[in-house]
Amino acid sequence: MKNNKLIRILKEIKNSDISINEALNKLKMFPFEDIGYAKVDHHREIRNGSPEVIYCEGKTIEEIAGITEKMMEMNSNILATRANEDIYNHLKKVYPKAEYHPRARIITIKNVDLDKSRSKILVVTAGTSDIPVAEEAYITADFMGNQVEKLYDVGVAGLHRLLGNTDKLGDANVIIVVAGMEGALPSVVGGLVDVPVIGVPTSIGYGANFKGLSALLAMLNSCASGMGVVNIDNGFGAAYLADSIINQIEKAREN
Amino acid sequence: MKNNKLIRILKEIKNSDISINEALNKLKMFPFEDIGYAKVDHHREIRNGSPEVIYCEGKTIEEIAGITEKMMEMNSNILATRANEDIYNHLKKVYPKAEYHPRARIITIKNVDLDKSRSKILVVTAGTSDIPVAEEAYITADFMGNQVEKLYDVGVAGLHRLLGNTDKLGDANVIIVVAGMEGALPSVVGGLVDVPVIGVPTSIGYGANFKGLSALLAMLNSCASGMGVVNIDNGFGAAYLADSIINQIEKAREN
Amino acid sequence: MKNNKLIRILKEIKNSDISINEALNKLKMFPFEDIGYAKVDHHREIRNGSPEVIYCEGKTIEEIAGITEKMMEMNSNILATRANEDIYNHLKKVYPKAEYHPRARIITIKNVDLDKSRSKILVVTAGTSDIPVAEEAYITADFMGNQVEKLYDVGVAGLHRLLGNTDKLGDANVIIVVAGMEGALPSVVGGLVDVPVIGVPTSIGYGANFKGLSALLAMLNSCASGMGVVNIDNGFGAAYLADSIINQIEKAREN
Amino acid sequence: MKNNKLIRILKEIKNSDISINEALNKLKMFPFEDIGYAKVDHHREIRNGSPEVIYCEGKTIEEIAGITEKMMEMNSNILATRANEDIYNHLKKVYPKAEYHPRARIITIKNVDLDKSRSKILVVTAGTSDIPVAEEAYITADFMGNQVEKLYDVGVAGLHRLLGNTDKLGDANVIIVVAGMEGALPSVVGGLVDVPVIGVPTSIGYGANFKGLSALLAMLNSCASGMGVVNIDNGFGAAYLADSIINQIEKAREN
Amino acid sequence: MKNNKLIRILKEIKNSDISINEALNKLKMFPFEDIGYAKVDHHREIRNGSPEVIYCEGKTIEEIAGITEKMMEMNSNILATRANEDIYNHLKKVYPKAEYHPRARIITIKNVDLDKSRSKILVVTAGTSDIPVAEEAYITADFMGNQVEKLYDVGVAGLHRLLGNTDKLGDANVIIVVAGMEGALPSVVGGLVDVPVIGVPTSIGYGANFKGLSALLAMLNSCASGMGVVNIDNGFGAAYLADSIINQIEKAREN
Amino acid sequence: MKNNKLIRILKEIKNSDISINEALNKLKMFPFEDIGYAKVDHHREIRNGSPEVIYCEGKTIEEIAGITEKMMEMNSNILATRANEDIYNHLKKVYPKAEYHPRARIITIKNVDLDKSRSKILVVTAGTSDIPVAEEAYITADFMGNQVEKLYDVGVAGLHRLLGNTDKLGDANVIIVVAGMEGALPSVVGGLVDVPVIGVPTSIGYGANFKGLSALLAMLNSCASGMGVVNIDNGFGAAYLADSIINQIEKAREN
Amino acid sequence: MKNNKLIRILKEIKNSDISINEALNKLKMFPFEDIGYAKVDHHREIRNGSPEVIYCEGKTIEEIAGITEKMMEMNSNILATRANEDIYNHLKKVYPKAEYHPRARIITIKNVDLDKSRSKILVVTAGTSDIPVAEEAYITADFMGNQVEKLYDVGVAGLHRLLGNTDKLGDANVIIVVAGMEGALPSVVGGLVDVPVIGVPTSIGYGANFKGLSALLAMLNSCASGMGVVNIDNGFGAAYLADSIINQIEKAREN
Amino acid sequence: MKNNKLIRILKEIKNSDISINEALNKLKMFPFEDIGYAKVDHHREIRNGSPEVIYCEGKTIEEIAGITEKMMEMNSNILATRANEDIYNHLKKVYPKAEYHPRARIITIKNVDLDKSRSKILVVTAGTSDIPVAEEAYITADFMGNQVEKLYDVGVAGLHRLLGNTDKLGDANVIIVVAGMEGALPSVVGGLVDVPVIGVPTSIGYGANFKGLSALLAMLNSCASGMGVVNIDNGFGAAYLADSIINQIEKAREN
């Protein structure tokens, strides 16, 4: 179970659990570290094993290495997204524990072991070409300590493939549906289940797909009420949202 | 059965069925009539009962009346789309046979009776709000001499409604699927049948629907191969395309 | 607690809880009712009190009345969104229990009483002009049996208004953030809490706001990972998603 | 002649041609095969020779090879679109029957011979630069067993080139018109013939062409009623739609 | 024949036709008049009869009346575009010579008679609904002293209507082609003639027409080289451009 | 002086200058030649020296060579746009007269000498980066037999550069203004002169330039009435339009 | 001269000018008042006379009245933008000092007199139709205590109108340039002066203007470096930015 | 302190400080130099040390070298933006003083030393990936003689990083805020300070970011009134605008 960040401190003030002086000092001490080009945030619930995340795109290898170093000093679990082989090779030399997941384009370094959640996340794709985005979601959700399953290539043009897998749908507490092209799969899944559905449009397709716009608009306009949509190709974001839902469920279980 | 327009004459020249002189004269005589603000086209296969069509939007009632008059002189069947009550009342006074179909916003004047096609068109909608566009397609296809059936409100968020009507899907030779919002229904229908599917996106929805753009893009990007898409809210166009397909089928039957 | 729809039946087959014959019959009997222009879905877990929903836009008053009648026969709770005073007056005459929530543009008819959830939803707005959309979310979530709180007019240009209300943020299990214009509030809230955040872009603004596009894109691109976004002005959808998350939490509590 | 897929089985249940038990088993046995990253669909009417289709973009060579292998085991005809020389070389080694059509970017493997349809498809292009898309349509339609003809480079800025080929237009049962830039050719062709016209916008052009948007919008707004439009550069989809129309015609011929 | 504005004065300086002092004074005296909310420009070649133009949209009746008054003092010909009946009635009381052209939404006040040009402008429309825009072009071009002809309702879906009017096309020195929907007519006309063609997209159409965008993009991407395009619905601008071309031709004639 | 294409023949029929038989034969003989992948048009007024044009983008070198060969047989002047060094080297070997203009990306082969027009075209650019597009216009206009001048790098942010060159503006009969970024220069030039102005938006710029969209929209919305706009980066089209205007002027001079 | 808001308090903590306890209390006391539907912000530097601002669009008259009442209790100057006659009449009854500026659509209530700034703001428009937006800027800037001048209707198509007013341009410390259509005026003004230029695109225009998009893009892409752009039609925002610049200048003057 | 450009001369005429003859001569002599492909502007206040600016994109190395040479002859400070290593190496050989700032992609050549301004510019970024754009702003502002500070990686998802740096915010006279993705940071900063804020959207992000559109729209729609926005990734423009504001402040200080 995770707990609230900044809020926690602010509430302690409120509840007089700490003096105002202590509070402000805590705030000042709030765990981020200034390394010039980046303010490394150590507040991502280290004790709970939630990983520190580095979004690699637009950063130099030197910057990524520098941020990683600071995080390793805190003994955090580390998840680097949109990474490539070069970055991996660079980090692997210094941190032998580093692993690369090429389809997901993710590097992970595990310093702390986590218990798996009892609740379950299911990652579904419409087609084979959507798999890289789905893998980004899968690896992220798994690395954050969730129990995750996959159901790939069950797009709406062949309904029997989906209907032949109702078991998996029925067992999940949160379902991430990854689809490009017309992005219809989340609507169909949303009509079959009652659990939260997270739609991830992908940029798979061509022409009037406009790099994922068609799938994005389809999901935002879904007639299956109550779907949450994330950015195009944002498998990581979907997993992060799913994880925050699972956290609430696990917390309730424990109480 | 209908036959080709300009082509027919041009081929007669080619095949020496008529002299070149005759051909050119025929071309000159080709049935359109200049009434100043409009060139009324009498070449829409009058003998076959295919209706003359007036698109009312952007035309004054006077213009519509003038065009209708010319068509009535040819004893054509007349179909006026995007019409309103005012236009109808105006025409009804002069032509008692005129009928108004308010949901479809169509006025029809039947001067010639037609045999119904043996092949069948099915008009499907995702929701109740898509019905006006579907009715435009239904009335048009029916008035052009086709056998037409309806299957309304079977959107993808409640698959059982669609799967409970597989009979109707299986009986059709051409299926027109009308859907707004995420426009997913044609993809699902396209995955269930082998006959030509015509997708009609509607402007039903709001926000990121962008007046039908979401449904339009979804249909153009459908993973169910081989769907033909028409303009947003263009029920008439879908019926016209379906009719041209049915014509080919009926022609084959007769041979 | 709610349970899965179609899935449940399909799993009973799987587990041999029912014979295949029974299963198929159940599927056939699956509760929807064909009233011509609409297939009324009675499967929305009637015994659990989840309301039947009518989206009023694009439907005639007659259609809405017809659908309501069928639902009343099932003694369902009914929620009609995007409704207006006219529809309300029409329904009120027949069903005196009908209530109108003008800012939310929602009509509710309560036939069954529900226990409130122990988990809590918080509805936040950036500005006063976003309130109608927030109220659609509030009324919906409340009517579905959730404990809901409000925190309105705490936009990012006056951070102290938000920071002065950290209590409310800290107490929620799911937070719905409604914002127009630059749509920045969900990102800031997402950075302060660990619970799932649902972003609702509104069409509030003008010019380069392009009817909510600016807020929509901002939320989809949020640097605060793990936000689920719904359609522009879609307060209902946000509440529905929040409700499905709360259901999972409540279910875990009960176990 | 081809027959309906899922529908057929579902109708057999309905008509008591098979027991419900048999039906469900059939559905379960429904020919798709799970190879992990893909659910290979063997239901594409194997006995009729309709090819299995692999859309190569976004798939690794290994995935394509794996899918091909499963299909070859079924002795299917195979059509791989958006393929490149590398994929071809990889497949050619294993399947010597594989052929590459470089302009169409299609690989075909023919395992079953097909009779040609009596009905005819005509593929027309506006310019020379539209030929690759047209070839994708041509190869696909031909490989699916249709009689296909070509009429290339007859764009509207030189009407005499089109008018000098009225024979070909007049002989076709379905016409696929491929055009980039202003996308006007389908409108002109649609005005000359009565058969179904399928418009394929291409991304040929520059500047305000916006990668095919100009041609796409032009075709969707065509004043020549009853044109079906497919996605930008989607020659395959056009051929597939044409094929489904031809199938209906051929079926009628046989009856 | 008209002559250059500011340029003329600047060249007189250059050629020492006038002293620099005179030039600067002339520039200062350059005929515009400041009436507070508007700087009325009297430099529109008063002696040549070219009209002063008032674009009425977004101006109050008072402002239009004030600007007209200043122009009348100069005895100019006056052309007010995007005008309505109210503005006309207001002006008519004061200036009995004022005339209203309702379809073109233009008010004209003729104070000076003009010789007609020997060169000819032809205004062509695709449909009847495009006539209001065409009339704006026609009235403007006519009022500026040009010989103008009309050819309406000759869209590309009925080529024979256009091909039956080649005389008119052949007689024009400049052709203005007005078309909505797919905007294909200017391309076809451009392929038939060698004279300058001005394309005017109209907002006629619906759905994916996006208020004239489809026609605009089509004309900008025309495969018929050398077409000049003006803004959507900008009949006035097309006439103004045509007039400037005719002026060059007439000037050449006189030399 | 050039004369009309198809029109001329059609008018000869009309005026009985030729018999209908002769006319149709002429039409049949109309000079285009079918070389399979292209219909080479020889009707571009060979005797007048107007060049045959090949748009190279999207064509293979073989196709370009084939088209060139057919044109060389007619002894035409040839202009190949959007060409590169490779195409040039290929053609140069066969046709030593071929010349390459690298900035304009044009290959020219001159077989016929032309008299220069007396009227003058001026090509203006806003910045240095707009020069490649301007050169495409310059080389084209020059090669078509027009007298052309240049005025480069006189953008609106330094008005004195433009105002210091009023001579050149004043001497032109047609002005082509090439501008990227905010595309304001044509409006300013249009306010200084009375001759036809042709606006060519370029894709120069970045960010919210959206590949030329900003300049394109600016020119279409110019407050300087009567500008004709061509496609983004379409220097060739601008020159072609300018040439058609000059032709009309020259014709008038000769009469 | 104004001073920083939240910052000031936070710096006092830092500099130990106040104890941390005092600081937090101050923060808590920070002047906003919760009236349910709005958090009224009294921190807009009341003592300096800067007005409290109410954006009226999307608020009910009751809400506006409620917010005004709270502000009047603080004796603030009040500026209500996007207001209409109805709101004015409502407020006027209660607060006789209320004044309405109809073209600017602004209501002002002056409770405190302000000294005028010595620095000067100039508001420039391209056309007469841009005046309403310019007036919003003018009234706002004036009411905030700035010295403001106007220069209206000096668009780029008549450069002499602008060049004849160089005095006014030269005297300003900040220039707000309001322009619709092609939005070129800020670029030209920016090339003539060295002071900060604020571009305000307006939605004036039609067709490819797309409600101000053309002017907005033009200003963002201006070749005149260093222009700040605000939202379409956002006269208020431009004035607010100009005011913040003037504040810095005035502060420097005083030191 | 800088002074006005063209304006100064025009005012001298007005005030009779110089005769009209002198004025015109001055204008003629106005320092730009025609080197064929470019008009080099020497009027950028050489004596004040403001640099001459070369925008390298779309220019050949030869052109850049030629322009540099002319500028060096005037002994100007030179700033070349969007430069690369190649250009730098080319210039470095000739001008050893040339320096390259790789992240900012700027080459500087300092010929004149400048006093630093007393007023201060602060450059803020939301993330590490925004640094290249921020550096373009930083180097430019610094090179123009301004005192500049940096505050990087303080995005809104971790508010404490921003709130922990209120000192820097409070010390600045102008703040440049660089942000991609949802572009929310300028709104938050704008709510914390009273000084002018310049928003620079970056193209950092992916998917529905649409190359910076999301951040751009967010900034244009900011609820924090009075922000000036520049083009996407336009660090240079932001610095230039900041510099023009600082100039006004410094001028006021000196008086």
Side-chain angles (χ1 to χ4, degrees), chain A residues 103 125-132 150-155 157-165 168 181 204-211 214, chain D residues 5-6 27 30-32 34 36-41 43 55-60 63 67 82 136 210-211 213 216 231-237:
Chain A
R103 279 222 105 174
T125 77
T128 302
S129 310
D130 300 315
I131 292 180
K150 304 179 187 180
L151 177 57
Y152 289 174
D153 196 26
V154 294
L159 270 188
H160 55 294
R161 296 178 301 183
L162 180 66
L163 296 180
N165 281 286
K168 289 195 169 175
M181 301 173 93
I204 292 305
Y206 56 91
N209 170 283
F210 297 123
K211 312 210 164 160
S214 59
Chain D
K5 286 180 293 193
L6 197 51
L27 271 171
F30 208 78
F32 74 88
D34 197 328
Y37 48 83
K39 313 263 177 295
V40 181
D41 240 323
H43 60 226
Y55 175 71
C56 295
E57 221 147 274
K59 296 201 179 66
T60 63
E63 285 170 352
I67 296 169
R82 308 278 157 135
E136 191 183 75
F210 297 122
K211 311 210 164 163
L213 183 65
L216 172 63
N231 199 355
I232 296 163
D233 291 336
N234 190 5
F236 168 76

Side-chain angles (χ1 to χ4, degrees), chain C residues 87-254:
Chain C
I87 298 169
Y88 171 62
N89 292 334
H90 192 101
L91 293 183
K92 184 71 177 176
K93 279 182 215 139
V94 194
Y95 314 109
K97 277 190 286 194
E99 282 181 78
Y100 188 48
H101 311 261
R103 279 221 104 175
R105 294 173 54 207
I106 283 179
I107 298 165
T108 50
I109 309 181
K110 180 168 278 179
N111 288 308
V112 186
D113 271 329
L114 299 173
D115 291 341
K116 282 287 162 196
S117 68
R118 281 172 55 203
S119 309
K120 212 183 275 180
I121 297 171
L122 176 68
V123 181
V124 183
T125 78
T128 302
S129 309
D130 300 315
I131 291 180
V133 175
E135 284 290 302
E136 191 184 76
Y138 179 87
I139 298 292
T140 300
D142 175 76
F143 193 68
M144 291 175 104
N146 299 288
Q147 203 184 332
V148 201
E149 298 240 359
K150 304 178 187 180
L151 176 58
Y152 288 175
D153 196 25
V154 293
V156 300
L159 270 188
H160 54 294
R161 297 179 301 184
L162 179 67
L163 296 180
N165 281 286
T166 46
D167 271 18
K168 288 194 170 177
L169 293 176
D171 283 355
N173 296 81
V174 179
I175 302 179
I176 295 171
V177 188
V178 182
M181 301 173 90
E182 83 272 63
L185 186 56
S187 293
V188 173
V189 169
L192 292 174
V193 301
D194 263 356
V195 301
V197 172
I198 301 169
V200 189
T202 72
S203 54
I204 291 306
Y206 56 92
N209 169 283
F210 296 123
K211 310 209 166 163
L213 183 65
S214 59
L216 172 63
L217 293 185
M219 292 183 195
L220 287 168
N221 287 284
S222 176
C223 56
S225 305
M227 185 188 310
V229 183
V230 298
N231 198 356
I232 297 162
D233 292 337
N234 190 5
F236 168 76
Y240 201 102
L241 173 56
D243 174 70
S244 77
I245 296 172
I246 296 292
N247 280 342
Q248 291 298 310
I249 302 174
E250 297 289 291
K251 212 176 353 181
R253 254 193 239 294
E254 289 166 23

Side-chain angles (χ1 to χ4, degrees), chain E residues 13 20 24, chain H residues 9 12-13 18-32:
Chain E
I13 303 173
I20 281 181
L24 260 200
Chain H
I9 297 173
E12 286 172 338
I13 304 173
I18 56 173
S19 76
I20 281 180
N21 259 344
E22 289 169 329
L24 261 200
N25 279 324
K26 270 199 171 182
L27 271 173
K28 215 169 205 143
M29 297 302 97
F30 209 77
F32 73 88

Side-chain angles (χ1 to χ4, degrees), chain A residues 137-210:
Chain A
Y138 179 86
I139 297 294
T140 300
D142 175 76
F143 193 68
M144 291 174 104
N146 298 288
Q147 203 185 332
V148 201
E149 299 240 357
K150 304 179 187 180
L151 177 57
Y152 289 174
D153 196 26
V154 294
V156 301
L159 270 188
H160 55 294
R161 296 178 301 183
L162 180 66
L163 296 180
N165 281 286
T166 46
D167 271 19
K168 289 195 169 175
L169 294 176
D171 284 354
N173 297 80
V174 178
I175 302 179
I176 294 171
V177 187
V178 182
M181 301 173 93
E182 84 272 63
L185 186 56
S187 293
V188 172
V189 169
L192 293 174
V193 302
D194 264 358
V195 301
V197 173
I198 301 169
V200 189
T202 73
S203 53
I204 292 305
Y206 56 91
N209 170 283
F210 297 123

Side-chain angles (χ1 to χ4, degrees), chain E residues 37-39 41 43 63 231 234, chain G residues 103 128 152-153 160 206 208:
Chain E
Y37 49 83
K39 313 266 176 292
D41 239 322
H43 62 225
E63 286 171 351
N231 199 356
N234 191 4
Chain G
R103 281 224 102 175
T128 302
Y152 287 175
D153 196 26
H160 54 294
Y206 57 92

Side-chain angles (χ1 to χ4, degrees), chain B residues 161-176:
Chain B
R161 296 179 301 184
L162 180 66
L163 297 179
N165 282 286
T166 46
D167 271 18
K168 288 196 170 175
L169 293 177
D171 284 355
N173 297 80
V174 179
I175 301 180
I176 294 171

